[in-house]
Amino acid sequence: MHSDDVVWDTLGNRQFCSYKITTKTQNFCRNEYNLTGLCNRSSCPLANSQYATIREEKGRCYLYMKTIERAAFPRRLWERVLLSKNYEKALEEIDENLIYWPRFIRHKCKQRFTKITQYLIRIRKLTLKRQRKLVPLRRKIERREKRREEKALIAAQLDNAIEKELLERLKQDTYGDIYNFPIHAFDKALQQQDADSESESDAEKEEDDDEDTDKREFVEADDSDLSDFEDMDKLETSSEEEQEEEEEVEKKASRSKSKGKTPLKGPARRKRPYIEIEYEEETEPATKTKAA
């Protein structure tokens, strides 16, 4: 027969319990079904045949209940009830399921449920808030990598210098065909020279294009050009005067028509100034005629 008093006397303050933690002030309980976290008679889940608690699993709260009728069946010892996400409805569900239970257990279940909902809300806020990630700096590894980079750079410079020297000797035929030199390195050097020459030719072409684009200049006008412009102005003024004179002649012709005179045929001529011409006739003397 299961007796709560016997279990408490066995696991209480006088005996050993694997879930108990003793401190200078008071004792605590590490059992996951403990309602308050304290090691005492009313809060011990092992020494109470009728017990209830609140647990959180994957963000949801559950009400666990244990009764004496299921003590003989450890597999079905705890009854689990899923609580609503709404805080008020969850409190009502706790009251309904623990309506005939002791007031201490009902009150502590509500307190535990409130505490769990509060830290779930804080977890959601922290996950939504952007946080800084602290990354530790490993000084020793950084120094080691820096030394390796410096050594690799020095080795690469030496290799390049040796390769250049060997290529120059190969071009100059210092040793002739005595030594075996990898031909791919020589081909690589030739390709590099061709690329450099092409880049230089492209640069020269670009410079020539720039010079061609900058060939536009502004030159001062000569005296002959200015005289040509003056002659053009004179021609324009003379043509205007002739047009005015022709208009005057047409007006006079229209006036003569109105008076009844016959109009002049042909194009209108300009009036010239009146000129008198005198002719002189020379006569031979009579004496010469008689003598003949």
Side-chain angles (χ1 to χ4, degrees):
M1 183 177 178
H2 185 78
S3 177
D4 296 339
D5 295 332
V6 173
V7 173
W8 176 248
D9 291 337
T10 305
L11 302 176
N13 295 329
R14 299 179 182 179
Q15 301 294 330
F16 174 77
C17 179
S18 60
Y19 297 108
K20 183 170 63 175
I21 298 173
T22 58
T23 60
K24 293 181 180 180
T25 56
Q26 59 184 358
N27 298 329
F28 295 97
C29 182
R30 294 184 300 180
N31 195 322
E32 58 184 3
Y33 291 100
N34 195 306
L35 186 59
T36 59
L38 300 175
C39 183
N40 53 30
R41 176 71 178 79
S42 59
S43 300
C44 183
L46 301 176
N48 290 283
S49 58
Q50 189 179 11
Y51 197 77
T53 185
I54 302 290
R55 291 185 64 190
E56 180 263 328
E57 294 178 2
K58 296 180 181 181
R60 297 300 302 272
C61 294
Y62 295 91
L63 174 64
Y64 283 82
M65 295 176 289
K66 181 179 74 169
T67 57
I68 191 63
E69 290 82 10
R70 294 190 297 272
F73 306 98
R75 187 178 178 182
R76 294 177 293 174
L77 182 62
W78 292 93
E79 181 183 359
R80 187 174 73 169
V81 178
L82 179 63
L83 299 176
S84 177
K85 291 183 179 180
N86 191 356
Y87 180 72
E88 295 179 355
K89 289 182 179 180
L91 292 178
E92 292 177 358
E93 290 175 357
I94 291 170
D95 289 332
E96 290 176 0
N97 290 294
L98 304 177
I99 187 170
Y100 297 114
W101 288 57
R103 185 176 178 277
F104 173 78
I105 293 175
R106 190 167 59 250
H107 179 64
K108 291 297 180 182
C109 285
K110 290 180 181 179
Q111 282 186 345
R112 186 174 176 84
F113 175 72
T114 305
K115 183 179 179 181
I116 291 170
T117 50
Q118 287 176 355
Y119 81 67
L120 286 175
I121 291 167
R122 287 197 299 271
I123 288 170
R124 293 191 189 98
K125 287 182 179 179
L126 291 173
T127 52
L128 294 173
K129 186 179 178 181
R130 184 179 294 177
Q131 295 180 355
R132 293 182 180 179
K133 186 178 179 181
L134 300 177
V135 180
L137 297 176
R138 299 178 181 179
R139 301 290 183 182
K140 188 175 180 180
I141 296 173
E142 288 182 357
R143 288 195 296 269
R144 187 191 304 161
E145 295 294 333
K146 189 176 181 181
R147 286 196 299 270
R148 288 179 180 175
E149 288 177 1
E150 291 175 356
K151 290 179 181 179
L153 183 62
I154 293 167
Q157 290 176 356
L158 289 173
D159 292 339
N160 292 331
I162 292 167
E163 185 179 355
K164 288 179 181 178
E165 184 66 24
L166 291 174
L167 288 171
E168 288 178 359
R169 291 183 182 183
L170 183 63
K171 291 176 185 178
Q172 295 173 2
D173 293 334
T174 305
Y175 304 110
D177 296 332
I178 296 172
Y179 62 93
N180 296 323
F181 190 79
I183 194 65
H184 63 84
F186 186 69
D187 295 336
K188 183 179 178 182
L190 291 176
Q191 290 176 1
Q192 188 174 3
Q193 287 181 358
D194 295 336
D196 294 337
S197 63
E198 288 178 0
S199 62
E200 289 177 359
S201 63
D202 293 337
E204 290 177 357
K205 288 181 181 178
E206 289 178 357
E207 291 177 358
D208 295 336
D209 295 336
D210 295 336
E211 291 177 358
D212 294 336
T213 54
D214 296 337
K215 282 183 178 179
R216 182 179 293 177
E217 295 178 357
F218 296 94
V219 183
E220 187 179 359
D222 297 333
D223 295 335
S224 62
D225 297 334
L226 295 174
S227 64
D228 293 336
F229 284 115
E230 291 176 358
D231 294 337
M232 292 291 290
D233 294 336
K234 289 178 181 179
L235 290 172
E236 289 178 357
T237 53
S238 63
S239 62
E240 289 177 358
E241 290 176 358
E242 290 177 356
Q243 288 178 0
E244 290 177 357
E245 290 178 357
E246 290 177 356
E247 289 176 358
E248 289 178 358
V249 171
E250 288 177 356
K251 288 180 181 180
K252 288 180 180 180
S254 62
R255 289 176 184 175
S256 62
K257 283 181 181 180
S258 61
K259 290 179 181 180
K261 293 181 179 179
T262 57
L264 296 173
K265 294 181 180 179
R269 297 180 180 177
R270 297 181 185 178
K271 286 186 176 182
R272 295 181 181 178
Y274 182 73
I275 299 171
E276 292 181 359
I277 300 171
E278 294 181 358
Y279 297 95
E280 293 182 359
E281 294 180 358
E282 293 181 358
T283 58
E284 293 181 356
T287 54
K288 287 182 180 180
T289 57
K290 288 177 179 180

